[in-house]
Amino acid sequence: QIDKWLWFRDRAPQIRKVIYWDEKGLSDFSDPDAVSFDRFLEEGRKNREDFVSRLNAIVQQINPDDLAILVYTSGTTGAPKGAMLTHANLTWVADAIAGLDPELQIGENDEVMSFLPLCHIFERIFSVYVHITAGYTVNFIESPDTVMENMREIAPTIGYAVPRIWEKYYSGVYIKMGEATRFKKLMYALAIKYSQDYAEIRLEGGSPGRGLKLMYYIMWIAVFRKLRERLGMHRMKVAFSAAAPISPDILKFFHGMGMNLVEGYGQTEGSGVTTGASVSAFRLGCVGRPIPGCEVRLADDGEILVKSPGVFKGYLKDEEETARALRDGWLHSGDIGSLDEDGYLRIIDRKKDIIITAGGKNIAPQNIENKLKFCPYINDAIVIGDRRKFLSALIVLDEENAMKYARDNKIPFSTYSDLAGSEQMKELIGREVDRVNKELSQVENVRKFRILPKKLYEEDGEVTPTMKVKRGFVNRMYGDLIGEMYGEG
């Protein structure tokens, strides 16, 4: 990394000091503009009073409306844009989240686990902004490969993740129970039945009967208490899902375990949070109500418009896009939604992603995709059908679960591509598609599908850092497969 800096330093005069951690290979290196981390700390200790004085002087010169950070959008619908967020934006969102549910009392005794990309606003909210306000402990994972292991070690009191992570936990439990003894399978099946009934009644605002309460308590003691300990979620008093829509089935699963998993909604341009559910105010299928200080209304076409102290200054060096996003004091989110009589917001889909079929029907693909992704063997699903006679889907396998299924059923394979091309795997996914179709209207049915021959990677430009699919890019990349399903070319 030092070599990279030396290569471009003349073109970046604004970088005045470089601090490096690893001194390996740098024993003879000397540069007035570079310093090791150990020496940096030593200089700080020696000149503490002077540094504090200078820092305070700088802080006094900062105005709330000054630019604090640049956060780049995920780029699902185009090139990432640099959203300019101010100090006022960040302090407001931190206070709003910390006070979202007074019953929780988020404070210095709490712990979180940081594992999402730090470039994303969702991660920054919890590992930086709310942390500054609440003073809790932030634990960083060892590597992306040790997330589940570190979760068990840390057992955070506050959880947060994108939907794909919650889906992964669900599918992991599902597959693991497939290997259990007959007795454990029976107990788990009973626990799921009673917990889902219990959660559904509670989430709809009702009160379960005595018999159901008793059976749920027994299942909690026998199954879910131990399960949560093994997952590292036994101390988690609340968990948040955001950055993309989550399947209601996933929410019900975790609520059935006794976990308060709630959904929120926001975008980088609004400092990350617009609406949020709380433990005491939760409605299945909705992303909560506007947080204090935030106004939400719907445009004539259903687009969600936002006005709050968290709305950004604009995009860096992009006046045209800023003018599109900010109109008459309102942030145009690009999302289509609906508001119920109590002010709860429901997300329908991205405005650009709404499918209009050849028959003129408007279809939101995310709902269908979420139902498909509830299958433990499906990692991602991309529904196709704009200006076409029927819907189809591109499917990405959950490699780990699909490999286990193949081994258990003696399906020969060497690579992911082998699995994707296997007739037995196509039959398995076909059964899952048929199951989902039974829950949908006829026009929403997925008539054909293809399993992609490779997984989707951020490095290949196919997904964002938070694992959201870049729909347009994938559609272009696999145009031949899509055309094949519609008899084109």
Side-chain angles (χ1 to χ4, degrees):
Q1 299 301 321
I2 288 289
D3 288 338
K4 289 180 183 178
W5 167 66
L6 291 171
W7 178 71
F8 69 73
R9 68 185 300 181
D10 293 338
R11 286 168 287 164
Q14 67 272 31
I15 298 178
R16 293 184 293 176
K17 201 66 125 179
V18 170
I19 302 165
Y20 54 90
W21 272 260
D22 189 356
E23 299 184 46
K24 185 178 180 181
L26 297 173
S27 56
D28 297 327
F29 174 73
S30 179
D31 191 289
D33 296 331
V35 61
S36 71
F37 185 61
D38 289 339
R39 186 179 165 196
F40 172 72
L41 292 179
E42 184 181 343
E43 288 182 7
R45 283 188 288 267
K46 287 180 180 177
N47 302 282
R48 179 180 176 82
E49 289 186 10
D50 179 46
F51 286 155
V52 169
S53 176
R54 287 160 60 187
L55 177 61
N56 288 335
I58 292 170
V59 169
Q60 293 302 316
Q61 296 173 23
I62 296 173
N63 293 313
D65 291 332
D66 287 345
L67 177 65
I69 57 165
L70 279 173
V71 180
Y72 278 80
T73 59
S74 57
T76 51
T77 57
K81 300 182 286 289
M84 298 186 288
L85 299 180
T86 67
H87 292 275
N89 291 151
L90 303 184
T91 53
W92 173 79
V93 77
D95 289 336
I97 291 293
L100 187 61
D101 192 342
E103 294 179 17
L104 290 176
Q105 297 180 342
I106 297 175
E108 61 182 20
N109 294 324
D110 285 305
E111 292 193 52
V112 301
M113 186 179 85
S114 175
F115 67 97
L116 297 174
L118 281 163
C119 61
H120 196 274
I121 190 67
F122 188 27
E123 177 62 62
R124 289 191 181 206
I125 284 172
F126 286 96
S127 63
V128 182
Y129 311 138
V130 180
H131 163 67
I132 292 172
T133 300
Y136 51 55
T137 300
V138 179
N139 300 276
F140 289 88
I141 59 167
E142 296 170 69
S143 80
D145 297 326
T146 62
V147 169
M148 293 189 176
E149 179 185 339
N150 294 155
M151 180 74 82
R152 289 191 293 271
E153 293 171 352
I154 296 163
T157 60
I158 299 168
Y160 58 93
V162 295
R164 186 62 203 127
I165 300 297
W166 300 117
E167 291 161 3
K168 194 73 176 173
Y169 270 107
Y170 161 76
S171 64
V173 172
Y174 178 90
I175 295 298
K176 199 73 176 174
M177 291 313 302
E179 303 171 341
T181 63
R182 183 176 297 181
F183 175 73
K184 287 184 177 180
K185 285 180 182 177
L186 175 61
M187 288 298 294
Y188 180 73
L190 286 171
I192 288 294
K193 178 188 182 305
Y194 288 116
S195 69
Q196 296 296 283
D197 291 345
Y198 182 87
E200 197 157 343
I201 293 171
R202 288 288 303 273
L203 292 173
E204 290 176 357
S207 178
R210 289 184 180 179
L212 181 54
K213 281 183 178 178
L214 176 62
M215 290 307 300
Y216 176 73
Y217 180 73
I218 293 171
M219 292 300 113
W220 159 254
I221 295 297
V223 177
F224 292 126
R225 183 174 62 175
K226 294 177 182 177
L227 177 58
R228 284 183 62 175
E229 286 178 0
R230 288 178 183 174
L231 295 176
M233 299 178 183
H234 53 288
R235 296 202 304 154
M236 205 172 282
K237 58 186 183 183
V238 66
F240 297 91
S241 179
I246 189 170
S247 166
D249 293 320
I250 297 292
L251 287 172
K252 280 194 286 187
F253 171 76
F254 282 99
H255 275 267
M257 281 173 51
M259 267 183 62
N260 296 312
L261 176 59
V262 298
E263 194 173 6
Y265 164 75
Q267 50 275 315
T268 304
E269 295 86 343
S271 299
V273 185
T274 297
T275 66
S278 65
V279 175
S280 55
F282 183 88
R283 192 160 292 182
L284 197 62
C286 296
V287 291
R289 291 183 287 203
I291 61 177
C294 184
E295 295 179 62
V296 171
R297 68 179 176 88
L298 302 178
D300 292 340
D301 61 358
E303 183 179 8
I304 300 165
L305 309 183
V306 180
K307 183 184 287 186
S308 81
V311 171
F312 75 149
K313 292 183 71 169
Y315 296 115
L316 179 69
K317 299 179 181 178
D318 199 333
E319 293 182 6
E320 186 177 341
E321 285 297 326
T322 298
R324 283 200 187 102
L326 295 174
R327 283 174 265 164
D328 301 321
W330 291 86
L331 170 63
H332 289 242
S333 68
D335 296 315
I336 300 295
S338 63
L339 286 164
D340 69 14
E341 64 279 5
D342 296 319
Y344 284 86
L345 179 66
R346 177 174 172 266
I347 307 300
I348 295 172
D349 216 316
R350 288 292 294 170
K351 191 174 178 178
K352 292 181 179 180
D353 291 343
I354 295 291
I355 291 172
I356 303 176
T357 66
K361 296 289 185 182
N362 284 24
I363 295 172
Q366 282 186 350
N367 177 53
I368 303 168
E369 291 163 354
N370 276 337
K371 289 181 179 292
L372 289 168
K373 289 191 291 183
F374 188 64
C375 164
Y377 304 106
I378 296 177
N379 190 76
D380 272 309
I382 303 98
V383 172
I384 315 294
D386 201 45
R387 299 187 299 276
R388 301 180 190 270
K389 292 182 179 179
F390 60 87
L391 300 187
S392 64
L394 298 176
I395 302 293
V396 181
L397 296 176
D398 184 300
E399 185 175 24
E400 184 180 348
N401 294 342
M403 286 172 62
K404 184 181 184 310
Y405 178 86
R407 287 193 294 266
D408 291 346
N409 290 273
K410 296 181 172 55
I411 301 171
F413 73 94
S414 298
T415 64
Y416 174 91
S417 183
D418 294 339
L419 278 176
S422 161
E423 287 302 319
Q424 296 98 317
M425 197 58 64
K426 291 176 186 176
E427 290 172 7
L428 171 66
I429 299 302
R431 290 194 295 272
E432 293 298 330
V433 171
D434 290 343
R435 176 187 60 78
V436 168
N437 282 339
K438 290 175 183 177
E439 303 174 15
L440 300 168
S441 64
Q442 188 171 357
V443 72
E444 292 176 306
N445 274 205
V446 175
R447 305 289 178 84
K448 293 184 179 181
F449 70 90
R450 293 291 185 273
I451 301 175
L452 294 186
K454 66 179 284 294
K455 296 190 293 182
L456 302 182
Y457 294 100
E458 180 189 351
E459 301 81 43
D460 294 340
E462 298 158 332
V463 294
T464 70
T466 52
M467 295 174 277
K468 285 190 286 188
V469 174
K470 294 185 177 180
R471 194 182 299 271
F473 184 91
V474 171
N475 286 358
R476 291 191 299 273
M477 187 78 177
Y478 296 99
D480 291 344
L481 270 182
I482 294 170
E484 181 185 298
M485 289 189 282
Y486 292 97
E488 300 167 355

